Amino acid sequence: MSLVVPAYNDEKYLSEMLRSALAQTVPFGQITVVDDGSQHDLTRLIASDFPASPIYCIRQDNAGLGPARNTGISLSKCEYILFCDADDVLSDELLATFSETLESHPEIDLFCFSADVFSDENHPLGNTSRYHRMADMYFQTGKDALLDMLRRREFISSSCLYIMRRSVLEGRIPLRFQAMKHEDEPFTLQALLRSKGTVFTRKTLYHRRMRSGSIMTSAPDSTSVEGYFRAAQAWRATSIEFEASDSRLIRRHADSLYTRGIERAIKAGLDEPDIRSMARRFSPAYFPAMNRDLSLSRASPRLVAAFYQLTDLCRRLL
């Protein structure tokens, strides 16, 4: 198992994360930290805190979370890969649970698990249930798993909650993260569509940290809006590959990403011409409806989401 840890100015949390990786009862075959241009050289921190460990750290110019993960993928040598954010913590049972699952299902491409959320800064935790798998299940394909999650409205995009076979990421067209916010949305979608055997477990094997200043908690800005628009376009484009009933599920999720982008654009105080320009460039499938959606959002951003939910209901009734 290769562990890939992108890190940017995470020296306060990185050592705790790495200790949880080294505490696994079944060890990682490879641990790679990608220092994405941090102000302080993380190589020195790792050499000081873990002098005899197998942890490898590579430093690159700041490029963002997605490209940093891609660097880790290119250096990974093991059959399976796990991504972990530098401020999170792994359960001691993660690799042991995966190894037991692999004994029963040696053919699996994806192993999907639950997470809980914690804060050491009294930061609001928000909706913690969004990281919980609701059942222990086996699927013949990742596509079956994807559609089941969408039917249950329980899709989890975070790539940190999937252990994936390396071959899923390779092939004629390699699968890599895009340089954008919300990069997990298109990446996890394609990882599921490329996978065969997929296992879900309800076990909580990952601990997500909520803190001020992280990507998850930072105030919305134009890069967040762009990320949602690009993710919505990627999901919408994929919907044509599905039969009608399944295509509606894909489009429903695409609609939700687009409406989140609208909501964040309003919260960020972006000018309407800028929002239209971003939609035209990054989410052209939704651009024709932009004037209507902006009119709705002037009253309340929630009206945009309500309109698309009503549209989804009409699709199902037809």
Side-chain angles (χ1 to χ4, degrees), residues 7-13 39 65 85 87-88 119-124 181 209-221 223:
Y8 176 69
N9 293 339
D10 291 307
E11 59 274 6
K12 180 179 178 180
Y13 308 102
Q39 293 179 357
L65 182 57
D85 291 343
D87 54 356
D88 292 339
S119 171
D120 53 7
E121 302 172 349
N122 295 319
H123 195 283
K181 283 188 177 179
R209 186 191 306 268
M210 296 293 285
R211 62 179 178 87
S212 301
S214 70
I215 294 176
M216 292 175 60
T217 62
S218 58
D221 58 14
T223 60

Side-chain angles (χ1 to χ4, degrees), residues 15 25 41 80-81 83 92 114 150 159 185 189-190 200 209 245 255 258 267 274:
S15 291
T25 55
D41 189 345
Y80 288 92
I81 295 179
F83 303 101
D92 295 348
S114 297
L150 292 175
S159 60
E185 286 285 349
L189 168 64
Q190 292 301 322
F200 284 3
R209 186 191 306 268
S245 61
D255 292 348
Y258 167 72
K267 289 180 180 178
D274 293 335

Side-chain angles (χ1 to χ4, degrees), residues 58-261:
I58 182 172
R59 184 174 173 85
Q60 66 179 29
D61 292 339
N62 180 248
L65 182 57
R69 286 174 176 162
N70 292 340
T71 298
I73 292 172
S74 68
L75 296 171
S76 297
K77 301 176 181 178
C78 299
E79 186 174 6
Y80 288 92
I81 295 179
L82 171 66
F83 303 101
C84 181
D85 291 343
D87 54 356
D88 292 339
V89 179
L90 302 178
S91 164
D92 295 348
E93 301 176 355
L94 174 57
L95 288 198
T97 303
F98 173 68
S99 296
E100 292 172 3
T101 303
L102 202 57
E103 290 180 4
S104 303
H105 301 284
E107 77 286 357
I108 62 170
D109 286 340
L110 282 181
F111 177 67
C112 319
F113 44 91
S114 297
D116 60 16
V117 182
F118 71 98
S119 171
D120 53 7
E121 302 172 349
N122 295 319
H123 195 283
L125 297 182
N127 178 19
T128 61
S129 65
R130 67 188 185 274
Y131 299 120
H132 292 168
R133 311 285 179 185
M134 302 310 293
D136 298 320
M137 301 182 71
Y138 174 85
F139 299 91
Q140 293 289 336
T141 68
K143 179 179 179 180
D144 293 336
L146 168 67
L147 294 173
D148 182 79
M149 284 189 285
L150 292 175
R151 291 188 190 102
R152 296 168 179 261
R153 299 178 184 266
E154 296 171 0
F155 176 73
I156 300 176
S157 66
S158 174
S159 60
C160 295
L161 304 187
Y162 297 82
I163 291 174
M164 56 192 66
R165 194 184 292 267
R166 181 178 172 79
S167 59
V168 170
L169 307 180
E170 304 305 338
R172 185 173 60 87
I173 302 177
L175 176 59
R176 295 295 185 268
F177 291 92
Q178 298 180 44
M180 55 182 267
K181 283 188 177 179
H182 316 301
E183 70 290 329
D184 282 340
E185 286 285 349
F187 178 87
T188 302
L189 168 64
Q190 292 301 322
L192 284 158
L193 293 179
R194 288 173 176 227
S195 297
K196 294 183 180 178
T198 300
V199 169
F200 284 3
T201 179
R202 289 175 292 180
K203 287 186 177 180
T204 298
L205 301 174
Y206 191 97
H207 309 295
R208 304 212 70 165
R209 186 191 306 268
M210 296 293 285
R211 62 179 178 87
S212 301
S214 70
I215 294 176
M216 292 175 60
T217 62
S218 58
D221 58 14
S222 61
T223 60
S224 177
V225 175
E226 174 189 327
Y228 274 123
F229 282 174
R230 291 176 64 177
Q233 182 67 24
W235 275 76
R236 183 73 176 261
T238 302
S239 68
I240 63 175
E241 303 173 14
F242 291 78
E243 295 181 357
S245 61
D246 295 337
S247 177
R248 287 195 291 270
L249 294 172
I250 300 295
R251 289 181 64 184
R252 182 177 71 191
H253 189 75
D255 292 348
S256 73
L257 294 170
Y258 167 72
T259 56
R260 279 181 240 171

